[in-house]
Amino acid sequence: MIEWANTIIQGILTGGLYAMFATGLAIIFGVMRLVNISHGDLIVLAAFVAMVVIETTGVNPFVSMIAVLPVMFVFGYFLQRGILNYTVGDDLLPPLLVTFGLSIVIQNVLLEVFTADSQRLKAGALEIQSLQLTEGLSIGVFPLIIFVTAVVMIIGLQQLFNYTRLGRAFRATSDDAVTAQLMGINHKHIFGLAMGLALVLVGIAGVLMAIRTNFDPSIGPSRLLYAFEAVIMGGLGSLWGTLLGGIILGVAQNIGAKIDPGWQILAGHVAFLIVLVFRPNGLFPRTRDD
Amino acid sequence: MSLLEIENLTAFYGDFQALFGISLSIDKGETVAAIGANGAGKSTFLRSITGLVQSDADKFLYKGETLKGKAACDIVGLGIAMVPEGRRLFPSLSVEENLIIGGYNQRPGNWTLERVYKMFPKLFERKDVAGTALSGGEQQMVAIGRALMSNPDVLLCDELSLGLAPIIIKDIYDALPSIKAEGISILVVEQDINQALAIADRVYCFQEGRISLSGKPDDLSKDQIAAAYFGR
Ligand SMILES: Nc1ncnc2c1ncn2[C@@H]1O[C@H](COP(=O)(O)OP(=O)(O)OP(=O)(O)O)[C@@H](O)[C@H]1O
Ligand SMILES: [Mg+2]
């Protein structure tokens, strides 16, 4: 019994990481109607950027974010303004194709520069510390940090979107980029900022992932898939839905792995399908149609 | 010198020419009406002024400076605000947020939320609901308030009466004199000729992308207007 409780708690905490992958994806889609196929590879890219920062300066992974996050922001902004802005419009296909191409480019560049070797960022003792809840039930400190970070991230994003000038501009541009221009909003700039913001989230997620698990240039697409599943299960109506989607995925994977280690990934996908069968629009659907 | 002075403006959608040499001017504090049938090019003309449609002109001056090549998002900062056809409120924004975002450019002036609510008290009662949850007339009020929040010198209004009941149209048009009293120049586009003639100092009639008639309402006969509006 206690073993199952452990499994589920681990799953919930893993879900925090998936939700973190997913928030960036949800924001990119929400603001720009852009399905970013390269999302997973950008997560891996962030991990490698952190690795370089750590190797050159010797700082720990958390501190490396001081450099990684601005780099990701600037990269996102110019990626959007230099390339992706030319692809967004009524048709969803062009951005899909271009970000698919970007995915392949990022993977190959990483492979060329860093080889296919498996990497890991080291955060010292923190990685193995755990909190004893009751007899036999304990949670890892680091997974807990990830989960709390995901929750803080979502609260922060909601505050930003609901209560700030920039947040209103994001929503207005997402609703109607043409009319937004009549308000003096430069939609190209706003899109750039949205992508920059999304890549900051990607940066945080990438560094935390790289402390938690091994990574190499090829793992991007599977992270994209987890992020996708979390977003779709969540239903695009609320970032809390995205968190819940991530949790469902994480719990299902851990339960699957407990039954048979080979079932971990499959169990997540099955849970995804089951949710969609019962809630085709996800758990928190968007209330308005557009 | 006119506030807005346009000579021989042409505009295209791809290969399709929508405007053929429009000349029009607006003085400070003046209310000008542009009337014309469906597809005459009235909205295209307003979109050209706000930079949403690419256009070319011999003269395209606002306060003596050219608007040519200006990005749409920079026009409102110069003091030209538009109430677009179909209101186009932002569905994700509440009524109040729709008004606030009208002032996004932070152009100095004295329009505030309080003043807009004073002009349209109904909006205050419903300030926290989604803009698009309002009735058509109330949405039009939000769209006007949103434009005013940018502290404009010129207000472009595209078919304020579209789809509204006559009694609501009257409410909306009753607001225009107080806006005019602020010294704001107004360009109203209308299919409703009587409404337009009642408030305008001068009127232009659009027909198939050209101006077929212009003048002061009192100087124009009903027949002249009908001919210019519907074609011969
Ligand atoms: N986005 C567009 N693409 C192609 N053609 C367009 C577009 N918008 C308008 N047109 C065409 O340009 C011409 C002028 O249209 P416009 O909308 O300016 O007319 P209007 O006078 O505002 O009409 P209405 O009274 O119906 O609003 C029409 O022939 C119309 O079909
Ligand atoms: Mg029109």
Side-chain angles (χ1 to χ4, degrees), chain B residues 96 99-100 109-125 127 145 148-149:
Chain B
E96 182 149 305
L99 295 174
I100 290 171
N110 46 25
W111 284 96
T112 57
L113 282 174
E114 290 70 37
R115 287 192 65 195
V116 173
Y117 288 144
K118 209 168 157 208
M119 181 179 258
F120 302 117
K122 276 183 194 164
L123 300 186
F124 181 70
E125 292 161 26
K127 68 187 172 66
L148 291 173
M149 288 293 286

Side-chain angles (χ1 to χ4, degrees), chain B residues 36-184:
Chain B
N38 273 328
K42 309 176 297 293
S43 296
T44 304
F45 180 63
L46 296 192
R47 283 191 221 120
S48 303
I49 297 174
T50 51
L52 293 178
V53 169
Q54 288 304 310
S55 60
D56 198 12
D58 292 344
K59 218 182 206 180
F60 198 179
L61 297 179
Y62 171 71
K63 295 182 179 172
E65 284 182 44
T66 186
L67 291 178
K68 270 190 211 176
K70 285 254 172 9
C73 59
D74 294 332
I75 299 286
V76 67
L78 301 173
I80 302 178
M82 175 138 100
V83 182
E85 189 171 1
R87 5 267 188 224
R88 289 190 161 266
L89 302 188
F90 299 107
S92 307
L93 272 56
S94 68
V95 166
E96 182 149 305
E97 287 176 323
N98 266 285
L99 295 174
I100 290 171
I101 206 156
Y104 184 83
N105 63 306
Q106 297 175 324
R107 188 179 142 83
N110 46 25
W111 284 96
T112 57
L113 282 174
E114 290 70 37
R115 287 192 65 195
V116 173
Y117 288 144
K118 209 168 157 208
M119 181 179 258
F120 302 117
K122 276 183 194 164
L123 300 186
F124 181 70
E125 292 161 26
R126 312 208 59 195
K127 68 187 172 66
D128 295 321
V129 308
T132 43
L134 301 182
S135 71
E138 289 163 346
Q139 287 193 32
Q140 193 61 275
M141 294 171 191
V142 178
I144 294 170
R146 184 178 66 176
L148 291 173
M149 288 293 286
S150 71
N151 293 308
D153 294 327
V154 179
L155 185 66
L156 309 175
C157 301
D158 199 346
E159 302 213 27
L160 295 178
S161 63
L162 190 72
L164 301 181
I167 181 165
I168 312 282
I169 296 175
K170 186 177 170 301
D171 277 356
I172 303 274
Y173 269 86
D174 282 350
L176 293 187
S178 65
I179 296 170
K180 183 180 171 150
E182 296 284 316
I184 298 175

Side-chain angles (χ1 to χ4, degrees), chain A residues 99-179:
Chain A
T99 55
F100 180 64
L102 184 64
S103 159
I104 293 171
V105 169
I106 293 173
Q107 281 181 48
N108 281 290
V109 169
L110 290 178
L111 195 61
E112 199 59 45
V113 177
F114 299 103
T115 75
D117 293 350
S118 195
Q119 312 283 353
R120 184 83 172 251
L121 301 184
K122 304 250 180 318
L126 194 63
E127 286 177 51
I128 47 164
Q129 281 169 9
S130 64
L131 297 171
Q132 186 91 22
L133 292 184
T134 60
E135 191 66 39
L137 195 63
S138 64
I139 55 177
V141 169
F142 188 64
L144 185 63
I145 289 175
I146 294 183
F147 189 85
V148 171
T149 307
V151 171
V152 169
M153 204 183 244
I154 290 173
I155 293 172
L157 287 169
Q158 286 195 323
Q159 297 297 313
L160 173 74
F161 271 75
N162 290 339
Y163 302 114
T164 67
R165 178 171 182 264
L166 179 62
R168 279 190 294 273
F170 278 145
R171 285 184 284 146
T173 310
S174 161
D175 280 347
D176 183 345
V178 172
T179 305

Side-chain angles (χ1 to χ4, degrees), chain B residues 167-215:
Chain B
I167 181 165
I168 312 282
I169 296 175
K170 186 177 170 301
D171 277 356
I172 303 274
Y173 269 86
D174 282 350
L176 293 187
S178 65
I179 296 170
K180 183 180 171 150
E182 296 284 316
I184 298 175
S185 306
I186 305 175
L187 173 55
V188 286
V189 156
E190 265 302 343
Q191 287 196 42
D192 184 330
I193 301 176
N194 295 330
Q195 202 58 257
L197 295 183
I199 56 147
D201 299 315
R202 281 185 308 118
V203 57
Y204 291 83
C205 193
F206 279 62
Q207 195 191 325
E208 291 174 8
R210 295 181 173 81
I211 288 178
S212 52
L213 183 73
S214 65

